[in-house]
Amino acid sequence: MSVVEMSKVKPKKKKQLSSEAGKDSRVKKKKKFWIRMKKAKEEKKATSQLSVPPKDSEQFSCNWKALQEILKSNKTSTNEPKTAQQQPNGPAQEKKDKQSTNVDQNNTSSKTDLGLKAKHKSVAKSPVVEDTKQPAPFKRKKTFKANGEQAAKKQKSEKKDSKPTEEDIWFDDVDPDDIEATVGAEAADIMRKKQGIQKKDAESALVKEHAFEGLTRAVAMDCEMVGVGPDGEDSILARVSLVNQFGKCVYDKYVKPSEKVTDYRTAVSGIREHNIRDGENVSTVRKEVAEILQGRIVVGHALHNDFKILLLDHPKKNIRDTQKYKPFRKTVKTNNPSLKLLCKEILNVTVQQGEHSSVQDAQATMRLYTLVKKQWEAQIKNGTDEKQEKRKRRSPKNASKPRVAAPCISWNPKATENNF
């Protein structure tokens, strides 16, 4: 080979060597990079494990021990300058000292939180176990809640103390019962005074004091039912109440259920399990009620439901149903008025607030009847008389017999003389 050829070959070998060295350096760099990445991941895992709150009781106790030591050191540092200080300005200086103590307490609470996080590594595992206690910030929250409750109670008491006056109630033509429901009883009393209305209690309005307590010719009846069967759709008798003409209770008995009760309907009936558990038998109640009602006028509201549940029948001429009385319907302007509405509009008495009472309902129906007793009875009497007259006119006996004109007979005295 010539010198020229040798010179051409040598640089090729140098290029090969340099490429191999570059590859080695790249591999080393990659290895170092991945080693660093692994170390970083391990450090992250370790820090995340340490940041998680401790689960074992030992870890809790150890952290608490460290926290106590920090608090002791902070207390000593805060107390030392206070003893050295003097109070030349009297009460003004005391206020400043109190403010400074509050600021120090806030700082200590923040320091303790930081100290807990910082000393997780050093106090991870130790054999000492002590009683766990809540830190200071939680107590402060509780006191804050208590202060809030006290403030709310004070506001309520202030509202109760502030009674409404006549100047506050400036509006007119408003029902006092509506005002009582929305504003309160005191405001309703003021409105009643303005309108010249006296509030009536249910008992005083429906029951006559010092009246006869026995049976009278007219008796009011009301029944309460409970639900039976799936979803309490069917009804059975639970209570029967009878009241005389003066509102005095004559008969009131709970009935023992003959089937399993699925719905007591307490919100409407006012009946609970203990009321009917030891009640009277259904058959005896029916017999007693039938004996009382025999030959008497029965007053009630929607009485067809009561007779249906009692399995009793009564002559129509002796039934006075306040739901079907036409003058009541006209005043209330409904075809099927409720007892509550009738009492409010006609008697100015509130009935059936919340749970119902069969005694009170019977008293309400009797009071409605006695209020219009003369008109009602006269209307029934006139109606019966009219029916009787119509029946006489349409009776088949009179229609079958044709009317025959009587023969005209003239009297002749001579003929009589001839007969004699």
Side-chain angles (χ1 to χ4, degrees), residues 42-55 59 120-121:
E42 287 175 358
E43 285 177 0
K44 281 183 181 179
K45 284 182 181 178
T47 53
S48 65
Q49 286 176 358
L50 290 168
S51 64
V52 174
K55 294 181 180 179
Q59 291 178 3
H120 267 302
K121 291 181 182 178

Side-chain angles (χ1 to χ4, degrees), residues 373-384:
K373 182 182 174 182
K374 289 181 181 178
Q375 296 91 333
W376 200 338
E377 294 297 331
Q379 191 177 356
I380 289 165
K381 193 176 181 180
N382 292 330
T384 52

